[in-house]
Each structure stands twice: as C-alpha cells, then as structure tokens.
Amino acid sequence: HDRVVSLGRGGSDLSAVTLASGLGATDCRLVKDVPGYFTADPNRHPDATHLDTLTYAQALEMADAGCELVQRRAIEAAERSRIPVVVTALDAERHTLITD
C-alpha cells in the first residue's frame, strides 16, 4: 500500500523466504557467517557438531531456545509456504536444509 514497513531484526530472512515463496522457487538460500546449524555455537564451542537437516519444528524449537541464526518469523513463513530453507556460508561446502 505504498508504505515503508520495518520487518525488525532478521527482516532480510523473512524477506528472502517471502520472495522465494512468491516467485515459486524450489528453495530459499540464506547465507550466514556459519555453514548452517550446529549442536552449539561453533564460535564458542569448537567441538559443536554440524546438523545437515532440520525439520521446521526443530528449527523453531532451536529459535525458542535462543538460537538466532534464522529469525523465527522466517522459519514460520517457510513452514506455512512449504518452501525448504538452505542455510549456508558464502564459500561453505556444508549447509543445513530445513524442511518437513
């Protein structure tokens, strides 16, 4: 409606998911400073294990527990539109796929 709206912290994740869904993309790729989700913060815990896949429910549980890697609203939007989310770093070989 010709208004500027702030999406809040993590708004770029929500924007990316919304655009990917609206464009009919096969997935939404979010580039972060780590190559996906881990069992703990890899910057604080070098022994953290990388997680290759998560369900939407698991990603939401992690967000509720304080993991801020992907904004909760973006995960909710991806789940509603059933668009898989790939979380990776710019030049990473690994990633985490969030899906059903």
Side-chain angles (χ1 to χ4, degrees), residues 7-38:
L7 297 175
R9 187 187 178 300
S12 60
D13 291 347
L14 180 56
S15 295
V17 168
T18 302
L19 283 170
S21 175
L23 293 171
T26 58
D27 63 36
C28 177
R29 296 183 179 265
L30 301 176
V31 179
K32 303 293 184 170
D33 62 348
V34 293
Y37 281 81
F38 287 78

Side-chain angles (χ1 to χ4, degrees), residues 4-5 11-13 17 21 25 31-34 38 42 46 55 57 59-60 69 71 73-74 80-81 89-90 92:
V4 174
V5 177
S12 60
D13 291 347
V17 168
S21 175
V31 179
K32 303 293 184 170
D33 62 348
V34 293
F38 287 78
T55 64
L60 288 169
L69 185 59
Q71 182 195 32
R73 289 181 5 180
R80 275 193 308 275
S81 63
L90 190 56

